[in-house]
Amino acid sequence: MITSISRSLAQQIVDTIHDVCGYNINFINTKGIIYASSDPDRLETYHEIGLRVASTGETIEVTSNKQYPGTNKGINIPIYYHKRIIAVVGISGEPAEVRKFAHLAERVAILLLHEQELNAHHRTIDEKKQYLIRSVINSEYDNPDYLEDCFKEFALDKAKKYRVVMIEINKRYNLVNKSMLDQDVETLFSSVKSGIYIYNYPSDFIGIICDDSFAQEKYLLEAFARKHAAIVKTAVGKATTMYECGESYSTAKSALRYLDRVDLDYVVFDDLTLEILLSAVPAKVVNEYSCKILSHLDEDEKDFLKVYYDNEMSLQDTADALFLHKNTVQQRLNKIMAKTGKNPRLFKDAVAMYLALVSSN
């Protein structure tokens, strides 16, 4: 909690108000010392009325230059913050004329202090989020008591399971516009129960959401991914306990690597099968494998094979899906076999071809 007005802030207020009204202004600390003033000669000098105001909490107006020794006409008012006097502001001049400027200085001081306190609070919140998320995804628990405080701060129940969400920014995205993306990410995690996130400089966001919330509100993540399909890729890791989130983080990264190779913008690790293996293989090797198997096929033939395998290698179901005659499906399969040297109907060759198709997405 802020308990005083800094010298620099007090001088800033003094200069601003002095420019408006032209009267001499002093900020006096609770010991009666002037520490900011429109008159440099008054700095670090003792102010008897200022000390009296700080001690009693009462505003004192001086109506005559002879009323107090060494004191000019003016007004001196206490500045309260959180029910405590933290400074006194004094302005020289006819009290009726300078009173409004004294109160203006008081209000400006309180508003600026409030803004500083809010900023400090948000910095503290951000620091806690950073510590919590980095601790659990890296399995580093150097300050368990502080981590427990962070769990309580964000109402995270360690008895439940959580998922790590990674949002990777396209490297070609103009980060000048990042503030708009920041707002949407903030809205996303605010909308998901027990959702918190951090910005991981320079190109991604890392968040944690409760698995219960994900089951009920995953449509929010899907909608976010669709909206920002040209800007980000979003991957959701497996559900783990809070202290095992390093594993969820690892699976989210694997899912992101898969997204980097295919024309998709969103994936949940749970939905991946062979793609998990492929994401662990260097992209160059995967591309070489896919090219080796499918290089003699055109795009129409690749699409035909995808439909064939999506329909569990059923001739009739494939024919129905493509509005073809069953014999036409057989002819196309024979043509593909002739081109590739692999029979799409045989299990071993079918696995090799399906892996190549998945790799080439």
Side-chain angles (χ1 to χ4, degrees):
M1 182 177 70
I2 294 175
T3 58
S4 64
I5 302 175
S6 69
R7 183 184 299 270
S8 60
L9 180 60
Q11 190 62 51
Q12 179 185 346
I13 297 169
V14 164
D15 294 340
T16 301
I17 303 300
H18 179 70
D19 288 344
V20 172
C21 68
Y23 294 102
N24 284 329
I25 306 171
N26 299 312
F27 262 71
I28 306 146
N29 67 23
T30 55
K31 296 181 179 180
I33 303 300
I34 297 173
Y35 69 107
S37 177
S38 56
D39 180 1
D41 292 335
R42 298 293 304 276
L43 290 173
E44 304 303 328
T45 63
Y46 176 69
H47 196 289
E48 180 183 351
I49 302 301
L51 179 60
R52 186 176 301 184
V53 171
S55 300
T56 64
E58 296 179 357
T59 296
I60 297 178
E61 294 188 357
V62 181
T63 57
S64 168
N65 288 339
K66 298 180 181 180
Q67 187 173 351
Y68 295 96
T71 301
N72 296 323
K73 290 188 293 186
I75 184 171
N76 299 273
I77 66 174
I79 298 177
Y80 283 88
Y81 197 64
H82 292 308
K83 300 180 179 181
R84 297 179 60 183
I85 296 175
I86 59 174
V88 174
V89 60
I91 302 186
S92 301
E94 291 292 342
E97 295 177 7
V98 300
R99 188 179 297 120
K100 60 184 177 182
F101 297 113
H103 286 293
L104 176 61
E106 175 195 23
R107 295 307 304 163
V108 169
I110 291 172
L111 287 172
L112 291 176
L113 287 172
H114 184 60
E115 181 180 0
Q116 281 189 348
E117 202 162 68
L118 284 176
N119 289 339
H121 173 70
H122 286 308
R123 283 198 300 273
T124 300
I125 293 296
D126 288 342
E127 287 167 1
K128 285 186 175 181
K129 288 180 181 178
Q130 289 276 348
Y131 181 81
L132 188 156
I133 290 179
R134 294 193 185 283
S135 292
V136 297
I137 67 174
N138 295 318
S139 300
E140 297 175 351
Y141 310 114
D142 59 321
N143 192 340
D145 291 337
Y146 182 65
L147 186 58
E148 287 291 327
D149 288 340
C150 292
F151 289 149
K152 293 177 183 177
E153 177 85 29
F154 303 113
L156 299 176
D157 185 351
K158 293 179 296 179
K160 295 185 176 182
K161 290 192 173 183
Y162 291 83
R163 292 177 183 267
V164 171
V165 178
M166 295 194 66
I167 301 173
E168 184 180 67
I169 304 173
N170 189 318
K171 292 180 175 58
R172 294 187 295 275
Y173 179 64
N174 183 6
L175 285 178
V176 172
N177 300 320
K178 182 178 163 292
S179 60
M180 297 177 63
L181 179 61
D182 286 338
Q183 293 175 15
D184 284 350
V185 173
E186 172 67 31
T187 300
L188 170 64
F189 282 93
S190 297
S191 301
V192 179
K193 185 178 179 181
S194 300
I196 64 170
Y197 77 96
I198 61 172
Y199 173 56
N200 188 41
Y201 182 85
S203 60
D204 55 59
F205 298 89
I206 302 174
I208 294 177
I209 61 174
C210 182
D211 188 44
D212 293 343
S213 301
F214 174 71
Q216 299 170 9
E217 301 170 339
K218 61 182 178 181
Y219 67 92
L220 294 172
L221 287 162
E222 294 167 353
F224 172 87
R226 284 195 301 271
K227 178 180 179 181
H228 299 287
I231 301 173
V232 303
K233 291 184 181 294
T234 305
V236 182
K238 65 183 291 187
T240 65
T241 64
M242 180 61 74
Y243 283 102
E244 294 174 332
C245 274
E247 186 178 352
S248 184
Y249 176 58
S250 177
T251 56
K253 288 199 296 183
S254 293
L256 264 184
R257 286 195 296 270
Y258 166 69
L259 287 180
D260 287 338
R261 297 177 180 179
V262 297
D263 188 23
L264 295 172
D265 50 71
Y266 173 80
V267 71
V268 180
F269 181 80
D270 302 18
D271 297 333
L272 301 179
T273 52
L274 290 172
E275 297 89 350
I276 298 173
L277 295 176
L278 294 174
S279 67
V281 179
K284 182 178 179 181
V285 175
V286 172
N287 291 335
E288 288 176 353
Y289 173 78
S290 178
C291 183
K292 177 181 179 181
I293 303 296
L294 305 175
S295 60
H296 298 294
L297 302 181
D298 59 33
E299 291 304 314
D300 287 341
E301 290 167 326
K302 292 178 185 178
D303 290 339
F304 168 79
L305 272 181
K306 290 175 186 175
V307 176
Y308 176 62
Y309 291 128
D310 285 344
N311 284 277
E312 307 296 340
M313 301 169 62
S314 166
L315 296 178
Q316 188 60 59
D317 289 346
T318 302
D320 293 342
L322 295 174
F323 303 101
L324 298 173
H325 192 278
K326 186 176 178 180
N327 290 341
T328 303
V329 172
Q330 290 179 317
Q331 291 169 3
R332 290 192 178 185
L333 291 172
N334 290 335
K335 183 179 179 182
I336 289 172
M337 182 173 63
K339 280 187 168 185
T340 63
K342 295 188 179 296
N343 187 345
R345 302 178 184 86
L346 297 179
F347 175 77
K348 185 176 179 180
D349 287 351
V351 170
M353 301 186 83
Y354 179 72
L355 279 172
L357 286 168
V358 172
S359 305
S360 65
N361 282 344

Short mmCIF file of all heavy atoms in Angstrom, two decimals, residues 5-21 23 25-27 35-38 79 86-87 89 91 101-113 116:
data_model
loop_
_atom_site.label_atom_id
_atom_site.label_comp_id
_atom_site.label_asym_id
_atom_site.label_seq_id
_atom_site.Cartn_x
_atom_site.Cartn_y
_atom_site.Cartn_z
N ILE A 5 3.79 10.30 -0.95
CA ILE A 5 3.88 10.77 -2.33
C ILE A 5 5.36 10.98 -2.63
O ILE A 5 6.04 11.72 -1.90
CB ILE A 5 3.10 12.08 -2.52
CG1 ILE A 5 1.63 11.88 -2.14
CG2 ILE A 5 3.21 12.59 -3.95
CD1 ILE A 5 0.80 13.15 -2.18
N SER A 6 5.85 10.37 -3.66
CA SER A 6 7.26 10.49 -3.97
C SER A 6 7.62 11.93 -4.33
O SER A 6 6.77 12.73 -4.75
CB SER A 6 7.62 9.56 -5.14
OG SER A 6 7.03 10.03 -6.34
N ARG A 7 8.89 12.26 -4.16
CA ARG A 7 9.37 13.61 -4.49
C ARG A 7 9.09 13.95 -5.95
O ARG A 7 8.64 15.06 -6.27
CB ARG A 7 10.87 13.72 -4.19
CG ARG A 7 11.45 15.11 -4.43
CD ARG A 7 12.96 15.08 -4.19
NE ARG A 7 13.27 14.71 -2.83
CZ ARG A 7 13.40 15.58 -1.82
NH1 ARG A 7 13.23 16.88 -2.04
NH2 ARG A 7 13.70 15.17 -0.61
N SER A 8 9.36 13.02 -6.83
CA SER A 8 9.18 13.30 -8.26
C SER A 8 7.71 13.51 -8.61
O SER A 8 7.37 14.41 -9.39
CB SER A 8 9.76 12.15 -9.10
OG SER A 8 9.11 10.93 -8.80
N LEU A 9 6.83 12.69 -8.03
CA LEU A 9 5.41 12.85 -8.31
C LEU A 9 4.90 14.17 -7.73
O LEU A 9 4.12 14.89 -8.37
CB LEU A 9 4.62 11.68 -7.73
CG LEU A 9 3.11 11.72 -7.94
CD1 LEU A 9 2.76 11.75 -9.41
CD2 LEU A 9 2.43 10.53 -7.26
N ALA A 10 5.33 14.50 -6.51
CA ALA A 10 4.90 15.76 -5.89
C ALA A 10 5.35 16.95 -6.73
O ALA A 10 4.58 17.90 -6.96
CB ALA A 10 5.48 15.85 -4.48
N GLN A 11 6.60 16.91 -7.21
CA GLN A 11 7.10 18.02 -8.03
C GLN A 11 6.34 18.11 -9.35
O GLN A 11 6.07 19.20 -9.86
CB GLN A 11 8.60 17.85 -8.29
CG GLN A 11 9.25 19.08 -8.92
CD GLN A 11 9.17 20.30 -8.02
OE1 GLN A 11 9.52 20.25 -6.84
NE2 GLN A 11 8.68 21.42 -8.56
N GLN A 12 5.99 16.97 -9.90
CA GLN A 12 5.19 16.96 -11.14
C GLN A 12 3.84 17.63 -10.92
O GLN A 12 3.38 18.43 -11.75
CB GLN A 12 4.99 15.51 -11.59
CG GLN A 12 4.16 15.37 -12.86
CD GLN A 12 3.90 13.90 -13.20
OE1 GLN A 12 4.52 13.00 -12.66
NE2 GLN A 12 2.96 13.67 -14.09
N ILE A 13 3.20 17.34 -9.79
CA ILE A 13 1.90 17.95 -9.48
C ILE A 13 2.07 19.45 -9.25
O ILE A 13 1.28 20.26 -9.75
CB ILE A 13 1.28 17.28 -8.24
CG1 ILE A 13 1.00 15.81 -8.52
CG2 ILE A 13 -0.01 17.99 -7.84
CD1 ILE A 13 0.63 15.01 -7.28
N VAL A 14 3.10 19.83 -8.51
CA VAL A 14 3.38 21.24 -8.25
C VAL A 14 3.55 22.00 -9.56
O VAL A 14 2.93 23.07 -9.76
CB VAL A 14 4.65 21.39 -7.38
CG1 VAL A 14 5.17 22.83 -7.42
CG2 VAL A 14 4.36 20.99 -5.94
N ASP A 15 4.37 21.48 -10.45
CA ASP A 15 4.63 22.17 -11.72
C ASP A 15 3.36 22.30 -12.55
O ASP A 15 3.11 23.35 -13.18
CB ASP A 15 5.70 21.43 -12.51
CG ASP A 15 7.07 21.47 -11.83
OD1 ASP A 15 7.28 22.36 -10.99
OD2 ASP A 15 7.91 20.60 -12.14
N THR A 16 2.56 21.24 -12.57
CA THR A 16 1.33 21.25 -13.36
C THR A 16 0.34 22.28 -12.84
O THR A 16 -0.21 23.08 -13.61
CB THR A 16 0.68 19.85 -13.35
OG1 THR A 16 1.60 18.90 -13.88
CG2 THR A 16 -0.60 19.85 -14.18
N ILE A 17 0.10 22.28 -11.53
CA ILE A 17 -0.86 23.22 -10.94
C ILE A 17 -0.34 24.65 -11.03
O ILE A 17 -1.09 25.60 -11.29
CB ILE A 17 -1.18 22.84 -9.48
CG1 ILE A 17 -1.70 21.40 -9.40
CG2 ILE A 17 -2.22 23.81 -8.90
CD1 ILE A 17 -2.97 21.15 -10.19
N HIS A 18 0.96 24.83 -10.83
CA HIS A 18 1.56 26.17 -10.91
C HIS A 18 1.39 26.75 -12.32
O HIS A 18 1.11 27.95 -12.48
CB HIS A 18 3.04 26.11 -10.54
CG HIS A 18 3.74 27.44 -10.64
ND1 HIS A 18 3.50 28.47 -9.75
CD2 HIS A 18 4.66 27.91 -11.52
CE1 HIS A 18 4.23 29.51 -10.08
NE2 HIS A 18 4.96 29.19 -11.15
N ASP A 19 1.53 25.91 -13.33
CA ASP A 19 1.34 26.38 -14.71
C ASP A 19 -0.09 26.85 -14.95
O ASP A 19 -0.34 27.73 -15.77
CB ASP A 19 1.68 25.26 -15.70
CG ASP A 19 3.18 25.00 -15.79
OD1 ASP A 19 3.95 25.87 -15.32
OD2 ASP A 19 3.56 23.93 -16.28
N VAL A 20 -1.03 26.24 -14.23
CA VAL A 20 -2.44 26.60 -14.39
C VAL A 20 -2.79 27.89 -13.67
O VAL A 20 -3.46 28.77 -14.22
CB VAL A 20 -3.35 25.46 -13.88
CG1 VAL A 20 -4.82 25.90 -13.86
CG2 VAL A 20 -3.18 24.22 -14.73
N CYS A 21 -2.32 28.00 -12.40
CA CYS A 21 -2.78 29.13 -11.58
C CYS A 21 -1.74 30.22 -11.35
O CYS A 21 -2.09 31.37 -11.04
CB CYS A 21 -3.30 28.62 -10.24
SG CYS A 21 -2.00 27.92 -9.17
N TYR A 23 0.27 30.53 -8.85
CA TYR A 23 0.58 30.72 -7.43
C TYR A 23 1.70 29.78 -6.99
O TYR A 23 1.92 28.72 -7.59
CB TYR A 23 -0.66 30.46 -6.57
CG TYR A 23 -1.78 31.46 -6.79
CD1 TYR A 23 -2.89 31.13 -7.56
CD2 TYR A 23 -1.73 32.73 -6.20
CE1 TYR A 23 -3.92 32.04 -7.76
CE2 TYR A 23 -2.76 33.64 -6.39
CZ TYR A 23 -3.85 33.29 -7.17
OH TYR A 23 -4.86 34.20 -7.36
N ILE A 25 3.34 26.98 -4.87
CA ILE A 25 2.78 25.76 -4.30
C ILE A 25 3.89 24.96 -3.63
O ILE A 25 5.01 24.86 -4.17
CB ILE A 25 2.11 24.89 -5.39
CG1 ILE A 25 1.08 25.71 -6.17
CG2 ILE A 25 1.45 23.65 -4.78
CD1 ILE A 25 0.55 25.01 -7.38
N ASN A 26 3.58 24.39 -2.47
CA ASN A 26 4.53 23.54 -1.76
C ASN A 26 3.88 22.20 -1.41
O ASN A 26 2.69 22.16 -1.07
CB ASN A 26 4.99 24.20 -0.45
CG ASN A 26 5.69 25.52 -0.68
OD1 ASN A 26 6.56 25.61 -1.52
ND2 ASN A 26 5.29 26.53 0.09
N PHE A 27 4.67 21.14 -1.51
CA PHE A 27 4.27 19.86 -0.93
C PHE A 27 5.14 19.66 0.30
O PHE A 27 6.37 19.77 0.24
CB PHE A 27 4.46 18.72 -1.91
CG PHE A 27 3.19 18.33 -2.63
CD1 PHE A 27 2.65 19.17 -3.59
CD2 PHE A 27 2.53 17.15 -2.33
CE1 PHE A 27 1.48 18.83 -4.24
CE2 PHE A 27 1.36 16.81 -2.97
CZ PHE A 27 0.82 17.64 -3.93
N TYR A 35 9.28 19.34 0.40
CA TYR A 35 10.11 18.48 -0.46
C TYR A 35 9.78 18.61 -1.94
O TYR A 35 10.42 17.99 -2.80
CB TYR A 35 10.03 17.02 -0.01
CG TYR A 35 8.71 16.32 -0.22
CD1 TYR A 35 8.55 15.36 -1.22
CD2 TYR A 35 7.60 16.62 0.58
CE1 TYR A 35 7.35 14.70 -1.39
CE2 TYR A 35 6.40 15.96 0.41
CZ TYR A 35 6.28 15.00 -0.58
OH TYR A 35 5.08 14.34 -0.75
N ALA A 36 8.81 19.45 -2.26
CA ALA A 36 8.53 19.81 -3.66
C ALA A 36 7.92 21.20 -3.65
O ALA A 36 7.07 21.51 -2.81
CB ALA A 36 7.57 18.81 -4.29
N SER A 37 8.38 22.06 -4.55
CA SER A 37 7.92 23.44 -4.50
C SER A 37 8.11 24.13 -5.85
O SER A 37 9.01 23.78 -6.63
CB SER A 37 8.70 24.21 -3.43
OG SER A 37 8.32 25.57 -3.41
N SER A 38 7.24 25.12 -6.11
CA SER A 38 7.42 25.95 -7.30
C SER A 38 8.52 26.97 -7.08
O SER A 38 8.97 27.63 -8.02
CB SER A 38 6.11 26.66 -7.65
OG SER A 38 5.65 27.42 -6.54
N ILE A 79 -3.50 15.82 2.69
CA ILE A 79 -3.87 14.86 1.64
C ILE A 79 -3.98 13.49 2.30
O ILE A 79 -3.00 12.96 2.83
CB ILE A 79 -2.82 14.82 0.52
CG1 ILE A 79 -2.72 16.20 -0.15
CG2 ILE A 79 -3.15 13.74 -0.50
CD1 ILE A 79 -1.66 16.28 -1.23
N ILE A 86 -0.71 11.60 4.15
CA ILE A 86 0.58 11.24 3.55
C ILE A 86 1.37 12.47 3.11
O ILE A 86 2.55 12.36 2.78
CB ILE A 86 0.38 10.28 2.35
CG1 ILE A 86 -0.51 10.92 1.28
CG2 ILE A 86 -0.22 8.96 2.81
CD1 ILE A 86 -0.62 10.08 0.03
N ALA A 87 0.73 13.65 3.09
CA ALA A 87 1.42 14.89 2.73
C ALA A 87 0.47 16.05 2.99
O ALA A 87 -0.72 15.87 3.27
CB ALA A 87 1.87 14.88 1.27
N VAL A 89 -0.47 19.93 1.18
CA VAL A 89 -0.23 20.83 0.08
C VAL A 89 -0.58 22.24 0.53
O VAL A 89 -1.62 22.48 1.15
CB VAL A 89 -1.05 20.45 -1.18
CG1 VAL A 89 -2.55 20.47 -0.92
CG2 VAL A 89 -0.71 21.37 -2.36
N ILE A 91 -0.66 26.44 -0.69
CA ILE A 91 -0.62 27.40 -1.79
C ILE A 91 -0.71 28.81 -1.20
O ILE A 91 -1.58 29.11 -0.37
CB ILE A 91 -1.77 27.18 -2.79
CG1 ILE A 91 -1.71 25.76 -3.36
CG2 ILE A 91 -1.70 28.20 -3.92
CD1 ILE A 91 -2.71 25.50 -4.46
N PHE A 101 -7.51 25.67 -6.10
CA PHE A 101 -6.30 25.07 -6.67
C PHE A 101 -5.65 24.09 -5.69
O PHE A 101 -5.06 23.09 -6.10
CB PHE A 101 -5.32 26.16 -7.07
CG PHE A 101 -5.85 27.07 -8.15
CD1 PHE A 101 -6.12 28.41 -7.88
CD2 PHE A 101 -6.11 26.58 -9.42
CE1 PHE A 101 -6.61 29.24 -8.86
CE2 PHE A 101 -6.60 27.41 -10.41
CZ PHE A 101 -6.87 28.75 -10.13
N ALA A 102 -5.81 24.38 -4.40
CA ALA A 102 -5.31 23.44 -3.40
C ALA A 102 -6.07 22.12 -3.47
O ALA A 102 -5.48 21.03 -3.42
CB ALA A 102 -5.43 24.05 -2.00
N HIS A 103 -7.39 22.24 -3.60
CA HIS A 103 -8.19 21.01 -3.70
C HIS A 103 -7.93 20.29 -5.03
O HIS A 103 -8.00 19.06 -5.08
CB HIS A 103 -9.68 21.35 -3.55
CG HIS A 103 -10.07 21.68 -2.14
ND1 HIS A 103 -10.04 20.74 -1.13
CD2 HIS A 103 -10.48 22.84 -1.57
CE1 HIS A 103 -10.42 21.29 0.00
NE2 HIS A 103 -10.69 22.59 -0.23
N LEU A 104 -7.64 21.07 -6.07
CA LEU A 104 -7.28 20.44 -7.35
C LEU A 104 -5.99 19.63 -7.20
O LEU A 104 -5.91 18.49 -7.67
CB LEU A 104 -7.11 21.51 -8.43
CG LEU A 104 -6.64 21.00 -9.81
CD1 LEU A 104 -7.63 20.01 -10.40
CD2 LEU A 104 -6.42 22.19 -10.76
N ALA A 105 -5.01 20.22 -6.53
CA ALA A 105 -3.75 19.49 -6.30
C ALA A 105 -4.00 18.23 -5.47
O ALA A 105 -3.41 17.18 -5.73
CB ALA A 105 -2.74 20.40 -5.59
N GLU A 106 -4.88 18.35 -4.48
CA GLU A 106 -5.22 17.18 -3.66
C GLU A 106 -5.83 16.07 -4.51
O GLU A 106 -5.44 14.90 -4.41
CB GLU A 106 -6.20 17.61 -2.57
CG GLU A 106 -6.71 16.45 -1.72
CD GLU A 106 -7.93 16.82 -0.91
OE1 GLU A 106 -8.63 17.78 -1.30
OE2 GLU A 106 -8.20 16.14 0.09
N ARG A 107 -6.80 16.42 -5.36
CA ARG A 107 -7.48 15.42 -6.18
C ARG A 107 -6.52 14.79 -7.20
O ARG A 107 -6.55 13.57 -7.42
CB ARG A 107 -8.67 16.05 -6.92
CG ARG A 107 -9.79 16.53 -6.03
CD ARG A 107 -10.26 15.44 -5.08
NE ARG A 107 -10.69 14.23 -5.79
CZ ARG A 107 -10.82 13.05 -5.24
NH1 ARG A 107 -10.53 12.89 -3.95
NH2 ARG A 107 -11.23 12.02 -5.95
N VAL A 108 -5.70 15.62 -7.80
CA VAL A 108 -4.73 15.10 -8.77
C VAL A 108 -3.79 14.11 -8.09
O VAL A 108 -3.48 13.03 -8.62
CB VAL A 108 -3.93 16.25 -9.42
CG1 VAL A 108 -2.75 15.69 -10.22
CG2 VAL A 108 -4.83 17.08 -10.32
N ALA A 109 -3.33 14.46 -6.89
CA ALA A 109 -2.43 13.58 -6.15
C ALA A 109 -3.08 12.23 -5.86
O ALA A 109 -2.48 11.17 -6.06
CB ALA A 109 -1.99 14.25 -4.85
N ILE A 110 -4.33 12.27 -5.41
CA ILE A 110 -5.03 11.03 -5.06
C ILE A 110 -5.25 10.17 -6.30
O ILE A 110 -5.06 8.94 -6.27
CB ILE A 110 -6.37 11.35 -4.37
CG1 ILE A 110 -6.10 11.95 -2.98
CG2 ILE A 110 -7.24 10.11 -4.25
CD1 ILE A 110 -7.33 12.48 -2.29
N LEU A 111 -5.63 10.81 -7.40
CA LEU A 111 -5.85 10.05 -8.64
C LEU A 111 -4.56 9.40 -9.13
O LEU A 111 -4.56 8.23 -9.54
CB LEU A 111 -6.42 10.97 -9.73
CG LEU A 111 -7.87 11.40 -9.55
CD1 LEU A 111 -8.25 12.46 -10.57
CD2 LEU A 111 -8.80 10.19 -9.69
N LEU A 112 -3.46 10.13 -9.08
CA LEU A 112 -2.19 9.58 -9.54
C LEU A 112 -1.71 8.46 -8.61
O LEU A 112 -1.16 7.47 -9.07
CB LEU A 112 -1.14 10.69 -9.63
CG LEU A 112 -1.37 11.72 -10.75
CD1 LEU A 112 -0.31 12.82 -10.69
CD2 LEU A 112 -1.34 11.05 -12.12
N LEU A 113 -1.93 8.64 -7.31
CA LEU A 113 -1.56 7.58 -6.37
C LEU A 113 -2.37 6.32 -6.62
O LEU A 113 -1.85 5.20 -6.58
CB LEU A 113 -1.77 8.05 -4.93
CG LEU A 113 -0.77 9.08 -4.41
CD1 LEU A 113 -1.21 9.59 -3.05
CD2 LEU A 113 0.63 8.48 -4.31
N GLN A 116 -1.04 4.63 -9.64
CA GLN A 116 0.21 3.93 -9.30
C GLN A 116 -0.06 2.63 -8.56
O GLN A 116 0.56 1.60 -8.82
CB GLN A 116 1.10 4.84 -8.44
CG GLN A 116 1.86 5.89 -9.20
CD GLN A 116 2.87 6.58 -8.30
OE1 GLN A 116 2.87 6.42 -7.08
NE2 GLN A 116 3.76 7.36 -8.90
#
